Amino acid sequence: MDGNTQKKAGKEGTAKRPPTTPNKSETKKVKTGEMDTEPELSNTSLLMAIQASLQSLIERFDKQDKKLDDMTTIIKEHSESIAFNMTEIEECKKQTAEMKSAMAALTRENNELRERVKGVERYKRRWNLRINGLREREGENVRQDVINLLCRISPQLAPKMEEAVDTVHRLGRKFDNKPRQVIMQFVKRVDRDHVWRATNKHKICEELKIHFVEDMIKEDKLARDAVWPIIAKARKEGKKAGFKGPYAYLEGKRVTAAE
């Protein structure tokens, strides 16, 4: 064979040779390497995941601890504030109790002063009498008209009536169709009481359609007005009933509007 023939034969021989395959030992080695690498990678990833979870938990715990510290601080501040407020409340309660006690004392004192003022006012009015229904004239001299009237009612006092009667005037605003009430003040209570008794059912009072009344404070007048129906009914029944100051008496017994 020549050289070209040999080269060609060599190429043909080379092309026809089947490819070599790895033997079993090599295959097993590769697989063993793969199996050894995969668990190692899995364990690393798992460890990293666990570390990450632990770190996350630690951070969460740190945050919770911070929140707890903040809450503890807030609770402490609130507790101090509550304790301060409780102290203030107790002080306010103490002051309120003292003020209530002082107010009660002032109320009692005020009521006592009111009653004293009423007593003084009642006492002053014992020198007074009032006349309802006395005709009113334009340009009248009401004091002289009243003195003349009193002389007719009580002739015994006529000689000294000018000195017995102090002041006389009408009360309230003037109305065209209704005479204003007249109030008079006596110098002596004895003269006032004498005239007061003389006016009771006097014929001149009936003729002139006038009647004399006591001068009372507002509270006493309201009390009398409230009990008047009881007194009026008792008088119609023939019972002994009347007033003494602001109080009403029936058969010698004091009565009130509630009865």
Side-chain angles (χ1 to χ4, degrees):
M1 289 184 156
D2 55 13
N4 293 329
T5 303
Q6 289 179 348
K7 288 179 181 181
K8 184 178 181 181
K11 289 180 180 180
E12 291 177 353
T14 304
K16 291 180 180 179
R17 181 179 298 174
T20 60
T21 57
N23 56 28
K24 291 182 179 180
S25 60
E26 292 176 348
T27 303
K28 288 181 180 179
K29 187 175 181 180
V30 172
K31 288 183 179 179
T32 303
E34 292 176 353
M35 291 177 65
D36 292 343
T37 303
E38 288 178 357
E40 185 175 349
L41 292 174
S42 299
N43 290 338
T44 302
S45 301
L46 181 60
L47 180 60
M48 292 177 64
I50 291 172
Q51 289 177 344
S53 298
L54 288 173
Q55 184 63 32
S56 176
L57 287 173
I58 290 170
E59 291 176 355
R60 288 175 62 186
F61 286 146
D62 289 341
K63 291 180 179 179
Q64 292 295 331
D65 287 341
K66 187 176 183 305
K67 289 182 179 179
L68 287 174
D69 291 340
D70 294 341
M71 290 297 296
T72 302
T73 302
I74 292 172
I75 291 172
K76 183 179 179 181
E77 292 175 353
H78 285 180
S79 298
E80 293 175 352
S81 178
I82 290 171
F84 176 78
N85 290 337
M86 290 298 295
T87 303
E88 290 293 310
I89 290 171
E90 291 299 324
E91 184 64 24
C92 287
K93 287 182 177 179
K94 181 180 178 181
Q95 292 179 0
T96 301
E98 292 175 353
M99 289 180 65
K100 285 183 177 180
S101 178
M103 183 63 70
L106 287 174
T107 300
R108 288 193 301 269
E109 183 178 352
N110 184 54
N111 292 335
E112 291 175 359
L113 288 174
R114 284 176 177 271
E115 290 302 319
R116 289 180 184 178
V117 170
K118 288 180 184 179
V120 171
E121 189 65 22
R122 288 189 185 104
Y123 185 76
K124 288 171 56 178
R125 294 184 183 224
R126 291 179 183 176
W127 278 259
N128 301 345
L129 283 177
R130 296 192 182 201
I131 307 174
N132 292 329
L134 184 63
R135 187 168 64 89
E136 187 169 356
R137 297 176 293 105
E138 190 69 28
E140 66 182 1
N141 184 342
V142 65
R143 183 178 187 277
Q144 193 58 53
D145 292 343
V146 168
I147 289 175
N148 294 337
L149 174 63
L150 296 181
C151 289
R152 295 173 60 190
I153 294 173
S154 182
Q156 299 91 331
L157 294 180
K160 65 172 186 177
M161 195 65 73
E162 287 282 352
E163 292 77 19
V165 177
D166 187 5
T167 59
V168 181
H169 59 88
R170 290 191 182 269
L171 299 172
R173 296 173 56 187
K174 185 176 181 180
F175 295 94
D176 295 334
N177 58 348
K178 185 178 180 180
R180 291 175 292 171
Q181 193 179 57
V182 175
I183 184 169
M184 69 195 82
Q185 185 178 56
F186 289 80
V187 176
K188 297 180 179 179
R189 275 189 60 189
V190 63
D191 294 335
R192 177 265 189 192
D193 294 343
H194 178 83
V195 172
W196 171 236
R197 287 190 298 268
T199 60
N200 185 29
K201 296 181 180 181
H202 198 285
K203 63 179 182 178
I204 293 178
C205 297
E206 295 177 357
E207 291 173 2
L208 298 177
K209 296 181 180 179
I210 62 174
H211 61 277
F212 287 71
V213 295
E214 293 179 284
D215 184 28
M216 295 181 294
I217 62 175
K218 182 179 178 180
E219 291 82 358
D220 292 349
K221 187 176 184 305
L222 291 174
R224 276 200 176 190
D225 291 344
V227 79
W228 170 248
I230 298 175
I231 300 301
K233 180 181 177 182
R235 287 178 176 177
K236 287 180 180 180
E237 295 173 353
K239 298 178 181 178
K240 185 178 179 181
F243 295 95
K244 186 176 181 181
Y247 308 113
Y249 291 87
L250 177 59
E251 299 293 341
K253 180 181 177 182
R254 181 177 166 182
V255 294
T256 61
E259 300 176 9

